[in-house]
Amino acid sequence: MHRPAPTQDINEDDLKVTEPKRSAAGVKAVMVSLERGFAAAGVSRTVRSMLRINQRGGFDCPGCAWPESITGARKPAEFCENGAKAIAEEASARTVTPEWWAKHPISVLREKTEYWLGSQGRITEPMIIREGESHYTPITWAQAFATIAEHTNATTPDKCVFYTSGRTANETAFMYQLLARSVGTNNLPDCSNMCHESSGSALNPTIGIGKGTVSLEDFEHAELIFVIGQNPGTNHPRMLSALADARKRGAHVVAVNPLPEAGFFGFKDPQTVGGMLGHHDDISDHFLQIKVGGDLALFQAFGHLIFEAEDKKPGTVIDAAFIDSMTDGYAAYKEARSTLDWEATEEATGLTRAEITTVANLLIKSKASIFCWALGLTQQPHSVPTLKEIINLLLVQGNFGKPGAGACPVRGHSNVQGDRTMGIWEKPGEALLASLDAEFNITSPRAHGYDSTDALDAFEQDTVDVFVSMGGNFALANSETEILEAGMQRAKLTVHISTKPNRSHVVHGRTSLILPTLGRTDRDDKHPGGAQFLSVEDSMSVVHSTQGRLTPVSEHLLAEPVIVGRMAQAILGDEHPVDWKSMTEDYDVIRDHISRVLPGFEDFNKRVRGRNGFVLPNPPRDTRSFATDIGKGRFTVSPFEALSAPAGHLILQTMRSHDQYNTTFYGLDDRYRGIKNGRRVILINPDDLNELGLEDKALVDVISTFGGTERRANRFRLVSYPTAKGCAAAYYPEANALVHRDLVARESNTPGFKAMTVRFVPHELAPGPTLDS
């Protein structure tokens, strides 16, 4: 039997702090996985789910996008602790019924934390709340779709916004973008706008594709692997197996991060005898504890040292033949890296010249290097130049299109990359739009739409009438939390296609609908042709099927493609040229359309049924070629840039807890960092505590400054922690309120969650809520 949902919310006064861990996984991870699953879903649903996670013919984990092997056998447990927690959340036998909503007025729910809301269980029926009402009440599916149609058709397309979470499957995402463009808008913000948009903005103009250029098998051949701005032990733990195996082969692994995360140092593989007995594999042999925002300076120093080494031994370091035949801009790049201000570099990075040189020598000697990165690099004002500097380093040594080498942006959501491939983008290219128009006999809008930051502006300016959210939790995921929530509440209609309650449901529009959907683990068999499956794309461009087998917790749930199709039919009417009904009845019809619209998906229905799915084309990886506007890989030159804080201030970055996936909180135990029972904490270097005249465990309010304006978040507890000096860290989304909307990565418009300039003042003890922003 599963346990009922917790009745108590977070009490920040119960915070417990212990020493950080130096290894990840092991027996504890297994026990936590089972305990969370049994508590939420019961023994039977938990066991049946775990046996199918990431297995051939099973379902794709709704957590991270780390790939599975397509050449060899898979492990019996092809998932991690946090994947198990994600499944426990989704397979939960706890239910949120109409009776639950009747007991909980919005005024009460708005005072609850995301942890409490998410722990209540699966939503069982469509619900609505109208202007002036205090509670959500049941509504039929037909009435819900009619309400959406009424509001959408009463406004203009530019005032409709269609948001997407990265958990949306390929087929759903394709239908969703087709719906938006059939309505007449490219307002398609998605979660990638807030995470890896900077990666695409850097990769597309330099190598001609916005994705990584490696396969999982490349980790078996790499001589050097960089793990930069990411926390694999929590956010993609299955990566640790690949890193541990690489180290055993003799490869070097270099971790670059402001926080010394447990997964950088040791991995207790719970699927080996040694791991279960407590023995750990070494992960990184070098850890560079860099200052937040110092990565651009580090990579420029690497470039400088590469040319120094090449000058000493010509022909031994750079790949001159590759550079001459396949790249452009080399001379300008070489000139830019000919000199280096070491004093400025050491100040920007917090590293010594000796530390930088030691790691640079590994890069100089390596004949096959992989650079992996995540949000630590993508959420700063100079994120795109930083990532372009990685591409420079890969290009100069010819690290594309050969075993063990390439770029590896590690995606966080299981299908965030697939959503973009399917056309979820506010700035679509003409080729996609023309292909859609030809396939469906529609006229897609050409004007660019809103990304996530633009949507925040639109909410504040009251230019959003209809907001539809396909999964996700937009209110908490973006910056300027307080302003965004106020704007959402002024919208005429908000629609949330969801599995569980979240914050966005309770800071809703004047009318709001909650449409409960099937999850990845659920059986989808209410179709004329029987059970259906969907597909996803992992971080390394592999497309494969996913099919749940659990009995849904309610007969009222609909699959996401069915919701999109019926919504489209209601809005656009029977005369619309797209046959939405046929797509909702048979997902093969969707895939046939995709095969004719999107390059690389030819014969989609046959290939996706293959044992391992199929791999999408990737010119840098497949043919060592680059589909840029000049047909070559592009070296770029960026000025030196770093983050700095005035006296009395620190640079603050956001982070996830080990008991968290994006805005979903599984629990309150950030085990590897030693933080338990609290989330409103600031990790701060002990030397900074002393210099600022502050005490460990002091209760403070946090004030961020940007462009002459301030943002404030109250009641945080300072925790002395070995982060990089001059830097601090706080959990996302509690710290999102501190991010000014104009603090973004310049080329990608991604919020600067890793770039806040903050100071601390003693907490004001005046009466008031403790969750203020």
Side-chain angles (χ1 to χ4, degrees):
M1 291 289 294
H2 69 279
R3 297 179 197 162
T7 58
Q8 298 299 312
D9 210 333
I10 303 173
N11 182 353
E12 296 288 343
D13 292 332
D14 290 341
L15 176 70
K16 293 181 174 60
V17 180
T18 56
E19 287 296 312
K21 306 296 184 186
R22 296 287 291 186
S23 61
V27 174
K28 181 69 172 180
V30 175
M31 299 307 296
V32 170
S33 299
L34 293 174
E35 190 277 332
R36 296 293 177 83
F38 295 166
V43 175
S44 176
R45 286 174 70 87
T46 297
V47 172
R48 282 186 289 144
S49 297
M50 288 183 173
L51 291 174
R52 296 185 60 80
I53 304 175
N54 296 325
Q55 299 295 341
R56 295 178 174 95
F59 65 89
D60 193 65
C61 177
C64 79
W66 190 254
E68 295 79 48
S69 173
I70 60 174
T71 59
R74 296 183 184 176
K75 296 177 180 179
E78 192 64 62
F79 59 91
C80 67
E81 175 188 344
N82 274 0
K85 292 175 184 175
I87 297 307
E89 287 282 309
E90 184 176 285
S92 175
R94 301 167 183 161
T95 54
V96 175
T97 63
E99 291 74 23
W100 185 94
W101 293 105
K103 292 178 183 177
H104 295 91
I106 288 297
S107 60
V108 171
L109 295 178
R110 283 182 183 158
E111 299 303 313
K112 299 296 186 181
T113 68
E114 189 64 22
Y115 167 66
W116 188 91
L117 289 171
S119 67
Q120 300 305 299
R122 292 285 297 273
I123 303 167
T124 62
E125 295 184 35
M127 306 298 293
I128 187 170
I129 189 168
R130 299 175 179 88
E131 189 167 10
E133 294 180 343
S134 60
H135 292 73
Y136 276 98
T137 56
I139 187 173
T140 68
W141 280 105
Q143 292 170 332
F145 293 129
T147 301
I148 298 170
E150 176 187 353
H151 281 267
T152 304
N153 291 324
T155 189
T156 56
D158 60 299
K159 293 186 177 181
C160 298
V161 177
F162 296 85
Y163 175 72
T164 320
S165 160
R167 284 178 58 171
T168 306
N170 288 327
E171 292 79 1
T172 308
F174 184 81
M175 292 180 71
Y176 196 62
Q177 61 84 31
L178 181 62
L179 166 59
R181 289 171 177 132
S182 295
V183 168
T185 184
N186 285 312
N187 289 340
L188 283 161
D190 74 324
C191 59
S192 67
N193 296 149
M194 294 177 279
C195 57
H196 266 290
E197 196 68 53
S198 296
S199 296
S201 297
L203 298 178
N204 274 306
T206 55
I207 63 172
I209 191 170
K211 306 177 182 182
T213 66
V214 299
S215 67
L216 185 59
E217 288 67 35
D218 280 313
F219 283 76
E220 300 172 6
H221 303 283
E223 296 180 17
L224 175 63
I225 302 169
F226 282 93
V227 180
I228 312 165
Q230 61 187 108
N231 177 13
T234 288
N235 297 334
H236 24 265
R238 288 186 300 135
M239 183 183 186
L240 296 178
S241 294
L243 296 176
D245 289 345
R247 286 278 282 123
K248 291 173 185 176
R249 281 193 302 99
H252 293 283
V253 176
V254 178
V256 184
N257 202 62
L259 291 165
E261 306 288 14
F264 294 153
F265 306 109
F267 171 50
K268 298 176 183 177
D269 188 345
Q271 300 194 68
T272 66
V273 174
M276 293 298 284
L277 292 175
H279 303 304
H280 73 258
D281 295 317
D282 292 333
I283 297 298
S284 61
D285 48 349
H286 290 80
F287 171 52
L288 296 181
Q289 188 168 22
I290 197 166
K291 285 184 178 179
V292 176
D295 307 273
L296 175 62
L298 175 66
F299 302 147
Q300 289 177 340
F302 285 168
H304 173 75
L305 293 169
I306 281 174
F307 285 118
E308 274 194 353
E310 174 68 15
D311 289 342
K312 291 176 182 176
K313 294 184 178 180
T316 63
V317 181
I318 69 170
D319 190 336
F322 172 79
I323 292 169
D324 290 343
S325 62
M326 299 305 301
T327 72
D328 180 73
Y330 170 72
Y333 170 64
K334 182 179 180 181
E335 174 62 25
R337 299 284 78 80
S338 62
T339 60
L340 188 74
D341 184 334
W342 275 106
E343 183 178 353
T345 299
E346 290 180 318
E347 173 62 27
T349 62
L351 304 170
T352 66
R353 182 171 182 171
E355 289 176 305
I356 295 171
T357 300
T358 296
V359 172
N361 285 335
L362 298 178
L363 183 59
I364 288 164
K365 295 174 183 176
S366 173
K367 301 303 180 185
S369 301
I370 296 175
F371 280 76
C372 305
W373 71 87
L375 306 195
L377 295 192
T378 65
Q379 296 177 331
Q380 300 164 5
H382 55 288
S383 286
V384 175
T386 298
L387 297 171
K388 287 181 176 179
E389 208 65 47
I390 288 179
I391 299 303
N392 288 338
L393 294 172
L394 290 168
L395 288 173
V396 79
Q397 291 187 291
N399 277 312
F400 288 102
K402 65 182 183 182
C408 182
V410 181
R411 310 284 178 169
H413 251 140
S414 63
N415 198 45
V416 65
Q417 185 163 295
D419 285 357
R420 182 56 55 87
T421 301
M422 290 295 113
I424 299 290
W425 196 28
E426 74 281 356
K427 301 180 182 67
E430 177 58 28
L432 169 65
L433 299 180
S435 188
L436 286 171
D437 292 353
E439 176 71 12
F440 294 103
N441 194 28
I442 62 173
T443 302
S444 299
R446 264 54 181 179
H448 289 173
Y450 297 148
D451 64 14
S452 293
T453 300
D454 297 330
L456 189 163
D457 291 336
F459 272 117
E460 187 184 21
Q461 296 160 13
D462 294 331
T463 56
V464 178
D465 284 344
V466 176
F467 176 74
V468 183
S469 180
M470 177 61 69
N473 185 1
F474 189 69
L476 281 192
N478 214 334
S479 54
E480 297 253 23
T481 311
E482 191 173 72
I483 292 171
L484 175 57
E485 290 186 354
M488 289 180 68
Q489 292 174 68
R490 295 192 299 271
K492 293 180 180 178
L493 175 70
T494 53
V495 181
H496 308 281
I497 302 167
S498 305
T499 57
K500 306 183 79 175
N502 66 47
R503 178 69 177 174
S504 294
H505 299 161
V506 300
V507 290
H508 53 75
R510 284 182 266 174
T511 296
S512 182
L513 290 162
I514 301 175
L515 307 182
T517 183
L518 298 176
R520 289 271 178 87
T521 59
D522 292 326
R523 187 171 64 245
D524 181 8
D525 58 1
K526 294 181 180 180
H527 302 270
Q532 301 289 309
F533 71 89
L534 294 164
S535 68
V536 295
E537 179 185 350
D538 66 30
S539 265
M540 296 177 185
S541 303
V542 180
V543 177
H544 58 88
S545 65
T546 176
Q547 186 172 25
R549 301 297 173 92
L550 293 181
T551 301
V553 296
S554 167
E555 64 181 5
H556 299 290
L557 307 186
L558 292 182
E560 287 180 347
V562 176
I563 293 174
V564 175
R566 290 186 61 182
M567 187 161 49
Q569 287 177 282
I571 295 170
L572 301 166
D574 294 336
E575 301 304 313
H576 192 261
V578 178
D579 187 353
W580 301 99
K581 188 172 185 290
S582 67
M583 288 192 278
T584 65
E585 292 178 342
D586 184 353
Y587 300 168
D588 278 0
V589 175
I590 311 172
R591 288 185 283 270
D592 282 341
H593 284 304
I594 293 170
S595 71
R596 293 187 291 267
V597 170
L598 298 177
F601 284 86
E602 296 79 10
D603 207 10
F604 190 1
N605 270 309
K606 180 180 178 181
R607 294 161 70 204
V608 77
R609 286 175 164 86
R611 187 166 180 261
N612 298 302
F614 61 96
V615 184
L616 291 173
N618 190 303
R621 179 199 65 211
D622 300 339
T623 59
R624 223 181 191 198
S625 61
F626 303 96
T628 61
D629 56 340
I630 55 175
K632 292 186 175 184
R634 178 181 276 115
F635 284 97
T636 54
V637 175
S638 301
F640 179 91
E641 191 172 355
L643 299 176
S644 61
H649 293 70
L650 301 176
I651 300 297
L652 179 71
Q653 66 166 339
T654 58
M655 61 182 182
R656 287 183 190 167
S657 162
H658 187 63
D659 246 355
Q660 175 182 0
Y661 185 77
N662 290 349
T663 59
T664 299
F665 308 152
Y666 304 135
L668 301 175
D669 188 1
D670 194 2
R671 189 170 73 248
Y672 296 154
R673 298 190 184 109
I675 309 295
K676 187 174 184 178
N677 293 339
R679 291 191 51 85
R680 297 183 74 82
V681 299
I682 303 287
L683 305 188
I684 179 172
N685 186 285
D687 291 339
D688 288 321
L689 270 177
N690 293 333
E691 292 176 12
L692 295 172
L694 298 167
E695 297 290 333
D696 186 26
K697 309 300 188 304
L699 198 60
V700 299
D701 296 340
V702 189
I703 300 170
S704 69
T705 60
F706 180 81
T709 63
E710 294 185 345
R711 299 289 182 269
R712 187 183 188 109
N714 294 338
R715 204 173 188 277
F716 280 74
R717 189 82 61 179
L718 297 177
V719 174
S720 180
Y721 197 86
T723 186
K725 191 175 184 307
C727 307
Y731 293 125
Y732 158 111
E734 285 82 356
N736 287 14
L738 296 165
V739 183
H740 192 288
R741 80 190 64 187
D742 293 330
L743 176 57
V744 295
R746 291 185 296 267
E747 295 87 342
S748 67
N749 219 25
T750 295
F753 294 126
K754 304 293 190 292
M756 291 171 274
T757 301
V758 301
R759 71 179 190 274
F760 310 114
V761 297
H763 173 58
E764 296 177 358
L765 297 178
T770 61
L771 302 176
D772 42 6
S773 42

